[in-house]
Amino acid sequence: MFNRIFLLCLCLCLDVDGLPLGCRWLQHKFREHSVKSITLLETMANSTNTNTTQDADVPFPDELYPHPSEASVEDKLWFIVQLLDKVSELLSVDQSSDTIWPWQKSTVDDFLVVMHGQTRGLSPCVDSSKKKNKKLHHYFKKLTSHILEKMSYSAEAWELIRKELRIHLLRVELLALSSN
Ligand SMILES: *[C@@H]1O[C@H](CO)[C@@H](O)[C@H](O)[C@H]1NC(C)=O
Ligand SMILES: *[C@@H]1O[C@H](CO)[C@@H](O)[C@H](O)[C@H]1NC(C)=O
């Protein structure tokens, strides 16, 4: 009994380290899901074996990322939620259209489930009425127009996108770690 009370107190205390209350997802689940999503991106690459030596025509938006040690935890988590939402949006294409990605549907579905799990898990930690990041929105539009549309939604275009998303997920994981 006393042990249980002690553990309860310990857990409550651990929540007081600057994180918004109810943000357990970040501490306990985020990393596990992040690793899973990156593995699923690798599975996609392995399934098509598309090779591209081309570089994306869109520079990686380093400047959009909040500074790991200077930005507030809230701003960092809000950025992460928006980014993961955009990633989901980019891959949620009409299955019957010819803009479809070249990967196995089940792998992409699993990936999207992980993305939604992450944003749902983090939702108690962010104030979603906050203003959305317009530059992030424009960057994702550019991925569509400068890569996917320009390269006619080819397997190579999707491979460029996949590689780009992988870098984002790795960066996001670092950002999440710095918020913990
Ligand atoms: C992808 O293929 C590489 C090389 O064959 C292998 O080492 C890796 O485990 C594979 N990854 C996944 C997630 O299937
Ligand atoms: C991809 O291209 C590089 C360089 O052209 C080559 O070394 C590599 O073996 C290729 N990989 C696959 C999977 O075709």
Side-chain angles (χ1 to χ4, degrees), residues 13-136:
C13 293
L14 286 177
D15 253 351
V16 194
D17 51 10
L19 281 178
L21 217 60
C23 201
R24 298 250 170 107
W25 183 268
L26 187 65
Q27 289 164 314
H28 302 300
K29 296 279 185 192
F30 192 90
R31 199 179 132 71
E32 176 193 322
H33 279 69
S34 182
V35 169
K36 196 169 166 191
S37 62
I38 292 164
T39 306
L40 286 166
L41 280 181
E42 268 174 33
T43 308
M44 291 177 201
N46 284 1
S47 71
T48 60
N49 228 345
T50 303
N51 212 347
T52 171
T53 48
Q54 207 171 333
D55 274 333
D57 210 5
V58 180
F60 191 86
D62 275 311
E63 71 285 359
L64 296 185
Y65 273 78
H67 194 285
S69 59
E70 283 165 17
S72 70
V73 171
E74 246 184 276
D75 285 349
K76 288 192 272 188
L77 297 185
W78 179 224
F79 178 84
I80 292 175
V81 166
Q82 291 180 89
L83 186 108
L84 298 184
D85 266 343
K86 286 291 177 195
V87 170
S88 294
E89 210 179 292
L90 190 64
L91 294 188
S92 301
V93 294
D94 181 0
Q95 309 277 326
S96 60
S97 76
D98 50 9
T99 60
I100 192 79
W101 17 255
W103 309 302
Q104 244 183 0
K105 181 176 173 334
S106 60
T107 312
V108 180
D109 285 347
D110 287 350
F111 180 82
L112 290 174
V113 167
V114 178
M115 289 294 105
H116 292 145
Q118 294 283 59
T119 51
R120 203 178 323 116
L122 287 180
S123 65
C125 326
V126 297
D127 171 10
S128 54
S129 66
K130 269 174 99 158
K131 215 170 75 187
K132 293 208 170 161
N133 189 323
K134 276 201 186 133
K135 286 184 180 159
L136 189 65

Side-chain angles (χ1 to χ4, degrees), residues 137-151:
H137 175 73
H138 288 308
Y139 160 75
F140 272 87
K141 275 182 85 167
K142 261 196 202 162
L143 288 185
T144 300
S145 60
H146 290 32
I147 297 178
L148 291 173
E149 284 174 5
K150 200 167 154 193
M151 297 171 71

